[in-house]
């Protein structure tokens, strides 16, 4: 059990083999690793490969690593909230993240939640992504139709204006 590390000695928390074994069983065990191992790309990659949420416990500089962040997002989209702001503002990276897991849109920089290509990529994975798109995107008939084609429930997140528009609803 990875959480047993909470009670382990500092020496064991700094032992590469012990930590690797633990994070491969439960990625969140990274929380109890030494600072040095929380900054080790191999350890963090193993942890986020098991549970993307482990990114929360990675060293700040690791949260700037595109490969590691994308691996975390692949496992759990909401782990994008722990990524460095620079990655959350990077258009190309956000596009790759939402193509991997639509949940990443939730934590993308606000202006990118209004980027047509990014929003379309997210809703192509799940119509519910429209909920996290900008107000303008939720009022855009083309965007909303793309969401509804994926799942009619996407209409729930369309603007009131579109939902009241007789021509659009027909």
């Amino acid at each position: 059990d990875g959480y047993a590390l909470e009670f382990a000695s500092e020496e064991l928390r700094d032992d590469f083999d012990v930590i690797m074994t633990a994070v491969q069983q439960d990625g969140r065990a990274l929380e109890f690793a030494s600072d040095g191992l929380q900054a080790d790309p191999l350890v963090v990659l193993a942890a986020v490969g098991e549970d993307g949420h482990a990114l929360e416990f990675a060293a700040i500089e690791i949260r700037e690593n595109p490969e590691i962040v994308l691996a975390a997002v692949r496992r759990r989209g909401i782990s994008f909230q722990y990524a460095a702001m620079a990655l959350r503002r990077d258009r190309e990276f956000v596009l790759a993240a939402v193509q991997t897991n639509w949940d990443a849109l939730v934590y993308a920089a606000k202006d990118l939640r209004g980027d047509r290509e990014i929003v379309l990529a997210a809703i192509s994975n799940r119509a519910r992504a429209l909920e996290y798109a900008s107000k303008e995107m939720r009022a855009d008939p083309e965007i909303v139709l793309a969401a509804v084609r994926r799942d009619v429930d996407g209409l729930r997140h369309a603007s009131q204006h579109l939902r009241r528009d007789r021509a659009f609803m027909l």
Side-chain angles (χ1 to χ4, degrees), residues 58-113:
I60 298 298
E61 63 271 17
I62 291 291
R63 298 178 196 194
E64 299 171 348
N65 181 312
E67 178 189 359
I68 291 173
V69 172
L70 207 51
V73 168
R74 192 173 294 117
R75 292 292 290 161
R76 196 163 184 191
I78 63 169
S79 65
F80 198 42
Q81 68 186 301
Y82 305 114
M85 188 52 74
L87 289 179
R88 293 169 51 195
R89 289 184 179 135
D90 182 296
R91 185 186 183 282
E92 295 309 311
F93 187 79
V94 170
L95 181 59
V98 301
Q99 288 171 334
T100 299
N101 192 318
W102 72 273
D103 276 337
L105 185 64
V106 176
Y107 297 101
K110 188 175 182 177
D111 63 313
L112 295 178
R113 288 183 270 148

Side-chain angles (χ1 to χ4, degrees), residues 113 116 119 130-131 133-145 154-155 157-163 165 168:
R113 288 183 270 148
R116 175 176 294 281
V119 171
L130 186 60
E131 178 180 1
S134 70
K135 190 179 206 180
E136 295 76 24
M137 291 292 103
R138 292 191 313 264
D140 183 306
E142 180 186 337
I143 298 290
V144 173
L145 280 174
L155 197 54
H157 307 295
S159 70
Q160 286 293 327
H161 172 76
L162 280 181
R163 294 190 317 188
D165 184 318
F168 178 79

